Amino acid sequence: ITMDKEKKIQLKRNFGYFRGTSFLIINIIGAGIFVSPKGVLEYSCMNVGLSLCVWAICAVLSLTESLCYAEIGITFPYSGAHYYFLKRCFGPLIAFLRLWTSLFEGSGIIATQALLLAEYSIQPFYPSCLTPKLPKKCLALAMLWSVGILNSRGMREAAWLQMVSTVLKVAILGLISLSGVFMLVRGKKENVERFQNAFDGEFPDISQIIEAIFQGYFAFSGGETLTFIAGELKKPSKTIPKCIFTAIPLVTVLFLLVNISYLTVLTPREILSSDAVAITWTDRMIPQLTWIIPFAISASLYSNLLVNVLDSTRVTYIAGQQGQLPLLFNTLNIHSSPLISVLLIVALASTVIVLTNLIELINNLYFMISIWTVLTMMGILKLRYQEPNLHRPYKVFLPFTFITMAISLGLVLIPLVKSPKMHYIYVFLFLLSGLLFYIPLVYFKLKLVWFEKMTCYLQLLFNVCIPDVSDEETEVDTLKN
């Protein structure tokens, strides 16, 4: 029986506490902390004390958002739980539009990360000039498809890379942090004086403080990622909160210490004039290790790329299960990986890499994420009111949902008010264009005979099959009861 269970083709609950925490840390620590923590300092008017307070506030805001999403992942322990949640709260149309934007916005983010990764990997070979476009694009495509292959081989294949990447990120940030602490303890006048009168600088107005908070908030984004893989977590009701309360405090301590270290070694003006603060810091502090930082940024981006592809495929997988994408997307290969979803996401991202002029347009969809966050928070309130007796092993403190909603609304409204541009109208039109597919294919359930024939051929070609859904549903039911 155990052998039969092992051979069953379905998304397995392989993520325990350590892998879940590692997954969360990878998602939150991107290239941002290495490259440009200057946004917070700039909008804090170079007020050192205030900039550190902003980082602490951002950590608290990230924790509140993560806990809101934790309620969703625990109440509905499916992979792609946030999509399933929107469908349950607001119906199939809103869920489809969420799917529609996430397909393209996800591909845009993945393509941008692959190109950044290629740039950091190639840059050491072109020390005094810009990296040429063709080798950069070729390397970005190679990295992207290698991530696709890793994802199609199931989670076991990527587990070691995930753990190594987490250790590497934490070790390098730890090195920067400890070096800064050591410099402070030595007590040299030029290192210490910036912190003795930390709040003496110019004090920004409220709009600048809000802008600084948004800058830092982006560095902490990614705390909701466990809802994407809630169907692959062991005991989600215990694992999700434990992972959040381990990962976010750890990342907060690292981010604060790294910023203190940057400010110990470099002046605020030097930080603002640097494109990659970590590299400038290393040049000044440990010049022998300057080559390690671009490598660290590359490794950091590669693991983020891996996690982002995994996240995106879980949404298309559950959309196939819910009848909003062809049944082919609700299939798994022998490694229990949604191969067709992986191919779709990687192919879309590859198209964006080849036609790089699309990246700017697709990245404009990024502000749509904030709109979906606002809707999700409204969904939590709506479901609390409409279904008070729904089994919720964990309930988020309701003011947290209002805080997250306010921040997300700010991220939508402030850019619209400060610099109203035509591309926001294009993004809105793109969102509505999803209706052209939703009305005939989902609402009227239009059947395409040729596509159904092609589905059979594709199933045989890629060796994929529909998983044993009843087992997954039974597991979810037992978790909820």
Side-chain angles (χ1 to χ4, degrees):
I1 296 169
T2 46
M3 275 183 71
D4 286 345
K5 275 192 173 178
E6 282 298 312
K7 285 179 181 175
K8 275 184 181 167
I9 293 177
Q10 53 189 191
L11 288 180
K12 309 265 191 323
R13 292 193 180 274
N14 286 329
F15 281 81
Y17 165 67
F18 287 107
R19 283 187 62 193
T21 305
S22 160
F23 188 83
L24 199 51
I25 289 171
I26 283 177
N27 219 43
I28 297 173
I29 303 177
I33 193 67
F34 295 109
V35 180
S36 61
K38 60 185 181 180
V40 174
L41 194 61
E42 187 181 340
Y43 287 105
S44 303
C45 295
M46 293 194 285
N47 187 315
V48 171
L50 184 67
S51 74
L52 293 174
C53 290
V54 166
W55 280 103
I57 291 165
C58 294
V60 173
L61 294 173
S62 172
L63 186 63
T64 60
E65 184 187 9
S66 304
L67 292 173
C68 292
Y69 277 95
E71 179 176 322
I72 295 167
I74 291 168
T75 308
F76 306 105
Y78 298 100
S79 289
H82 60 300
Y83 159 85
Y84 176 83
F85 176 77
L86 281 173
K87 188 167 185 276
R88 180 166 176 143
C89 288
F90 300 108
L93 173 59
I94 296 293
F96 183 83
L97 292 177
R98 172 73 179 101
L99 168 70
W100 178 248
T101 49
S102 71
L103 268 177
F104 294 93
E105 156 251 304
S107 305
I109 292 168
I110 288 164
T112 307
Q113 280 183 333
L115 284 164
L116 255 176
L117 170 56
E119 190 155 336
Y120 275 107
S121 304
I122 287 179
Q123 191 62 57
F125 300 101
Y126 298 91
S128 55
C129 57
L130 287 170
T131 51
K133 278 189 176 179
L134 187 63
K136 188 166 85 173
K137 283 189 180 187
C138 291
L139 184 60
L141 287 168
M143 298 281 197
L144 177 61
W145 282 92
S146 71
V147 162
I149 291 164
L150 271 171
N151 266 294
S152 67
R153 299 282 301 169
M155 282 315 299
R156 285 181 191 277
E157 297 282 330
W160 65 271
L161 182 70
Q162 192 184 334
M163 295 309 288
V164 167
S165 173
T166 308
V167 170
L168 182 72
K169 284 184 183 189
V170 173
I172 287 173
L173 290 178
L175 172 72
I176 294 172
S177 304
L178 291 173
S179 303
V181 170
F182 174 71
M183 292 291 282
L184 275 178
V185 171
R186 279 179 64 194
K188 274 193 177 178
K189 191 185 172 191
E190 65 269 22
N191 299 138
V192 179
E193 62 186 7
R194 279 167 225 140
F195 298 99
Q196 285 173 337
N197 307 308
F199 291 92
D200 281 3
E202 184 190 339
F203 212 79
D205 59 40
I206 191 72
S207 67
Q208 286 174 304
I209 292 174
I210 290 168
E211 199 76 57
I213 287 170
F214 288 151
Q215 293 284 328
Y217 190 62
F218 272 119
F220 275 102
S221 63
E224 76 286 353
T225 193
L226 289 178
T227 58
F228 289 71
I229 57 159
E232 292 155 84
L233 288 169
K234 297 172 185 172
K235 300 178 182 170
S237 57
K238 290 178 181 172
T239 306
I240 292 177
K242 277 167 71 180
C243 291
I244 289 170
F245 281 114
T246 304
I248 293 180
L250 176 66
V251 170
T252 304
V253 170
L254 277 174
F255 278 15
L256 281 170
L257 287 174
V258 164
N259 275 285
I260 289 168
S261 182
Y262 289 156
L263 288 159
T264 305
V265 176
L266 307 168
T267 66
R269 289 200 182 281
E270 283 174 326
I271 291 173
L272 290 191
S273 62
S274 168
D275 287 328
V277 184
I279 293 174
T280 312
W281 180 94
T282 315
D283 279 340
R284 178 75 52 85
M285 189 75 186
I286 323 167
Q288 304 91 320
L289 298 183
T290 305
W291 64 272
I292 283 185
I293 298 298
F295 169 70
I297 294 170
S298 299
S300 175
L301 278 166
Y302 190 81
S303 56
N304 281 64
L305 195 62
L306 186 78
V307 165
N308 270 322
V309 170
L310 188 141
D311 286 351
S312 301
T313 56
R314 290 335 184 235
V315 182
T316 50
Y317 172 75
I318 195 172
Q321 200 177 79
Q322 298 287 316
Q324 294 210 328
L325 277 179
L327 196 62
L328 191 62
F329 290 95
N330 183 34
T331 57
L332 299 174
N333 65 8
I334 52 167
H335 303 290
S336 295
S337 168
L339 176 64
I340 304 296
S341 293
V342 172
L343 287 173
L344 173 72
I345 297 298
V346 171
L348 280 172
S350 300
T351 309
V352 177
I353 288 171
V354 173
L355 311 168
T356 29
N357 53 339
L358 281 178
I359 283 191
E360 195 179 336
L361 179 68
I362 289 172
N363 282 352
N364 290 330
L365 289 172
Y366 203 75
F367 96 112
M368 284 298 302
I369 295 171
S370 302
I371 295 174
W372 293 120
T373 304
V374 172
L375 267 177
T376 305
M377 296 306 112
M378 287 166 65
I380 290 174
L381 299 171
K382 184 173 184 274
L383 221 58
R384 286 274 189 101
Y385 175 73
Q386 286 183 340
E387 298 185 48
N389 299 323
L390 181 70
H391 178 63
R392 295 177 178 87
Y394 166 78
K395 283 186 180 183
V396 70
F397 181 48
L398 274 184
F400 287 0
T401 57
F402 292 110
I403 291 168
T404 306
M405 208 186 296
I407 286 282
S408 301
L409 269 173
L411 288 168
V412 173
L413 296 174
I414 286 175
L416 286 174
V417 173
K418 278 188 78 174
S419 55
K421 290 177 185 162
M422 275 301 287
H423 67 232
Y424 293 118
I425 295 168
Y426 297 145
V427 168
F428 184 66
L429 290 173
F430 170 78
L431 179 66
L432 292 180
S433 71
L435 294 171
L436 298 174
F437 292 86
Y438 174 79
I439 291 167
L441 299 174
V442 181
Y443 188 78
F444 288 113
K445 296 188 170 111
L446 183 70
K447 298 283 182 198
L448 304 170
V449 180
W450 60 271
F451 188 82
E452 286 182 6
K453 281 183 182 174
M454 196 169 76
T455 300
C456 296
Y457 291 122
L458 288 172
Q459 269 189 272
L460 291 167
L461 177 65
F462 293 113
N463 195 17
V464 292
C465 65
I466 291 165
D468 190 350
V469 180
S470 60
D471 270 23
E472 175 69 16
E473 283 174 350
T474 310
E475 193 173 356
V476 167
D477 288 339
T478 52
L479 282 160
K480 286 178 73 176
N481 294 329

